[in-house]
Amino acid sequence: MNEIYVIGHRNPDTDSICSVIAYAELLNSKGNGTYIPARCGPVTEETGYALDYFGIEEPRYIESVEASISDLPQIYSISAEESVPTIDIVKIMDENNVRNVPITDSEGFLKGLISEYGLAQAYVRRDKIEQLSITPIKLDTLKRILHAEILVPSCDLLEGRVYIAIDALHVTLSKLTKNDVAIVGDNEPAQLALIAAGIAALILADGAPAGERVRKAAEAKGVAVLSTKLDAFGVGKMINLSLPASQIMATDVPTVSMEDSTDYAKQLVSNSRYRTACVTGKDGKYQGMISRNTFLDDISKNVILLDHNEFGQAVEGIEKAEILEIIDHHRIGTISTLKPICFINEPVGSTCTIIASRYLRSKTEISRGIAGILLSGILSDTMVLRLSTTTDRDREIVDRLSKIAGVDPIEYGTELIKRGMNLEGEDLETLLMRDTKSYELYGKKIIISQIMVPTFEFSHENSQEIISTSKKIKKSSGVDIFAVLLTSVFENSSELYLVADEIVLSNTGAEKQPLLLEGMMSRKNDFIPWFGHILKNL
């Protein structure tokens, strides 16, 4: 079974991170697949504190769940080294029913590609007829290509011009050098004369015999003698096809990596003259080949979404992924699926509350680490059980988890929240985008940022910069409204900064900012219903 990613929303908070870790652990304990806890944003200082405290690793970072080359069930693994003769490349094509063969060096690095088109260019459409020659080729390889028998062995490597002894013998002899190869038939005087010239090898065509005198002369001169049933012109043809792949291959082959999306790869393959692309690693080593046939079936990543159910908050590429399940505690959003799925949406203070309940209902043992991060998610999302979103069920689950985790929930939760209120070391734009949610309410696209603060001192000292940075973010993100909530747990209220048109500002009373909102602590339960009601009546 393929990997299934359990993933939360963008700009993940502690509830999002901790719930995916715990739920993936629960699913993996059932043994029905491989579930990977994942995230699509950085881990906050608060969340990092919780993970470190209970010794839990961060989820895997995933930029997109769009299908990639690594998701393909199979890619072609065929290849050949650059020293392989062309005729062997043709054989590989025939045996594997492919039109292209990637070429590598001896260490596996991609060097090029031989295609049927390339072979036609090299042999059929050759404008200039050149001297027949042998590039460096092993004697055994030449024997195999010619279906020959080595009658007299000699040097292991041959390289030189090839002559068919059809001219007057003295003409052929005048051209030969010690590196050359001669092809001759059943003519012992000619065989002996060619050997006496000190050539590298003598090929006897048409199954011509080699007499005792010929063999002894060849051994004395160090001339290799091969015998083949091919005629002289057949030998010439096969030698012509013995060129190494490096001399025939094209080097403009398109490449992709395992991380590239299948959509990008499809486009690359379609635009390639070879209708093929090679897959390489970061080090340039060849990993496989893809073609148009690779994409006959639709490929998608399988995902389970936690702590959100809106496209605007989901990981990149979610529209092209296969959503198997959604577990959330927010309002029902815009995500739709092609198939029926399990959709759990409960009005509790935290997704971790729902996941903990799944553990308890299935009577699955909860380890201290899992209990600790589930507890952290609940305490974070409910502001240590202070927010209006907190339910009796949240309190009951916190009581049970804190005993397993061995911590006092109030003391631990207070320290956890303090870590999340650390505003030092980050520029303001990063801070404003640290915990954001995207919504679409009554035809308006909205981003709502929430920053937890101990007091409103930070807000008052940086109000003008917050306003100017918020305007910049609204413009760059292309939304209709950008809102910033600075929420103080200790003062049980929030201050609102709002970048919107004059009508929205007027109806919210936010002409002068920041606007103090007494008792407004929860983005989900307090701000969204209040702000949504205003937009609805505009």
Side-chain angles (χ1 to χ4, degrees):
M1 188 174 182
N2 292 333
E3 291 181 340
I4 299 169
Y5 296 95
V6 184
I7 191 166
H9 52 74
R10 300 180 193 180
N11 302 311
D13 55 14
T14 301
D15 186 35
S16 177
I17 294 289
C18 293
S19 61
V20 303
I21 295 172
Y23 195 45
E25 179 87 4
L26 176 63
L27 294 172
N28 283 323
S29 71
K30 307 301 179 185
N32 296 323
T34 301
Y35 297 85
I36 308 297
R39 59 186 174 89
C40 54
V43 172
T44 65
E45 185 173 346
E46 177 189 288
T47 307
Y49 172 76
L51 297 180
D52 289 343
Y53 192 97
F54 293 103
I56 301 295
E57 291 185 4
E58 293 180 4
R60 182 189 299 180
Y61 175 73
I62 294 180
E63 188 173 345
S64 171
V65 290
E66 187 176 356
S68 62
I69 300 300
S70 61
D71 296 310
L72 295 171
Q74 184 179 4
I75 59 177
Y76 297 102
S77 59
I78 60 171
S79 66
E81 288 190 17
E82 55 191 340
S83 60
V84 171
T86 304
I87 191 168
D88 290 343
I89 302 295
V90 174
K91 185 178 180 182
I92 291 172
M93 289 179 175
D94 290 340
E95 289 177 347
N96 293 276
N97 194 28
V98 295
R99 296 182 177 183
N100 305 285
V101 176
I103 305 302
T104 69
D105 64 14
S106 59
E107 296 181 354
F109 289 95
L110 181 68
K111 305 302 289 185
L113 182 88
I114 290 185
S115 63
E116 287 184 344
Y117 172 82
L119 289 172
Q121 288 287 97
Y123 290 106
V124 178
R125 296 183 60 185
R126 182 178 293 173
D127 296 326
K128 182 180 178 182
I129 304 301
E130 299 173 346
Q131 167 69 50
L132 185 63
S133 63
I134 287 180
T135 54
I137 188 172
K138 290 185 177 182
L139 187 62
D140 282 339
T141 302
L142 183 61
K143 166 196 167 185
R144 177 173 56 80
I145 290 174
L146 298 179
H147 304 288
E149 177 186 359
I150 298 176
L151 302 180
V152 179
S154 182
C155 58
D156 185 51
L157 199 66
L158 298 175
E159 180 180 9
R161 295 171 298 176
V162 178
Y163 291 93
I164 302 175
I166 56 176
D167 292 325
L169 187 57
H170 72 278
V171 174
T172 302
L173 290 171
S174 68
K175 300 176 182 178
L176 292 172
T177 70
K178 64 179 181 179
N179 295 320
D180 294 337
V181 176
I183 305 170
V184 69
D186 187 8
N187 185 332
E188 187 172 274
Q191 294 170 6
L192 290 170
L194 292 166
I195 291 170
I199 59 177
L202 181 68
I203 300 173
L204 306 181
D206 289 315
E212 188 66 23
R213 287 199 305 161
V214 170
R215 291 175 186 251
K216 286 183 177 180
E219 289 172 359
K221 278 283 192 179
V223 177
V225 179
L226 297 89
S227 176
T228 176
K229 293 182 179 179
L230 297 174
D231 62 24
F233 293 100
V235 172
K237 175 183 176 183
M238 298 307 288
I239 287 176
N240 196 30
L241 289 172
S242 72
L243 290 173
S246 59
Q247 291 195 14
I248 302 297
M249 69 184 186
T251 56
D252 60 342
V253 53
T255 60
V256 294
S257 70
M258 284 292 187
E259 293 74 34
D260 285 328
S261 71
T262 53
D263 280 355
Y264 169 73
K266 284 178 187 178
Q267 184 177 8
L268 201 65
V269 168
S270 296
N271 293 336
S272 166
R273 72 167 80 178
Y274 312 111
R275 299 295 187 262
T276 288
C278 289
V279 184
T280 58
K282 292 180 180 179
D283 58 359
K285 285 192 174 182
Y286 172 75
Q287 294 181 322
M289 179 178 67
I290 56 176
S291 69
R292 287 178 296 181
N293 292 338
T294 308
F295 305 105
L296 292 178
D297 297 323
D298 288 333
I299 303 296
S300 60
K301 276 186 167 70
N302 294 321
V303 298
I304 295 174
L305 302 182
L306 265 59
D307 202 36
H308 69 297
N309 68 95
E310 301 197 41
F311 279 125
Q313 298 175 14
V315 60
E316 290 287 342
I318 191 63
E319 299 88 350
K320 297 179 180 179
E322 183 78 17
I323 301 173
L324 304 181
E325 184 178 4
I326 299 174
I327 300 177
D328 193 17
H329 68 120
H330 298 94
R331 72 177 193 131
I332 295 177
T334 57
I335 283 183
S336 61
T337 61
L338 293 175
K339 301 176 183 177
I341 65 167
C342 178
F343 190 142
I344 298 173
N345 189 284
E346 298 186 28
V348 292
S350 165
T351 299
C352 281
T353 298
I354 304 172
I355 302 303
S357 300
R358 297 285 289 266
Y359 270 90
L360 296 172
R361 280 200 300 271
S362 64
K363 297 181 179 180
T364 302
E365 182 180 353
I366 305 177
S367 67
R368 179 182 180 274
I370 294 298
I373 60 171
L374 285 170
L375 176 66
S376 301
I378 300 170
L379 294 176
S380 173
D381 244 29
T382 63
M383 297 302 294
V384 198
L385 306 177
R386 290 188 180 96
L387 294 186
S388 60
T389 55
T390 308
T391 66
D392 289 340
R393 189 159 150 222
D394 295 310
R395 296 185 181 93
E396 177 190 345
I397 295 293
V398 163
D399 183 59
R400 300 182 71 163
L401 292 174
S402 61
K403 291 175 181 175
I404 300 171
V407 297
D408 180 278
I410 303 303
E411 290 181 7
Y412 170 74
T414 301
E415 182 61 28
L416 179 71
I417 296 304
K418 285 181 180 177
R419 298 299 179 114
M421 292 181 184
N422 183 7
L423 307 182
E424 297 179 0
E426 287 189 271
D427 66 87
L428 187 57
E429 183 171 350
T430 302
L431 188 62
L432 294 180
M433 292 300 293
R434 186 167 70 180
D435 180 11
T436 59
K437 294 282 181 71
S438 299
Y439 301 91
E440 188 161 337
L441 295 174
Y442 302 103
K444 293 188 180 294
K445 293 181 179 180
I446 306 168
I447 293 178
I448 304 171
S449 168
Q450 187 169 33
I451 301 171
M452 310 308 298
V453 293
T455 69
F456 293 126
E457 182 180 357
F458 176 84
S459 173
H460 299 158
E461 290 179 352
N462 298 276
S463 59
Q464 291 306 311
E465 191 178 354
I466 292 172
I467 291 171
S468 61
T469 305
S470 296
K471 289 179 179 178
K472 177 183 174 184
I473 294 173
K474 175 184 177 294
K475 183 177 180 180
S476 64
S477 59
V479 295
D480 300 301
I481 300 170
F482 182 77
V484 179
L485 283 172
L486 285 98
T487 302
S488 171
V489 180
F490 306 111
E491 298 187 30
N492 195 38
S493 58
S494 295
E495 286 195 339
L496 171 66
Y497 291 86
L498 192 65
V499 184
D501 60 42
E502 292 297 328
I503 297 175
V504 173
L505 293 176
S506 174
N507 280 270
T508 54
E511 296 99 329
K512 186 177 180 180
Q513 299 183 27
L515 174 66
L516 180 64
L517 301 172
E518 295 281 357
M520 189 165 292
M521 303 290 288
S522 169
R523 175 170 43 194
K524 176 184 69 173
N525 265 31
D526 299 331
F527 184 76
I528 289 292
W530 173 77
F531 193 58
H533 180 72
I534 292 172
L535 295 179
K536 180 180 179 182
N537 292 301
L538 288 180

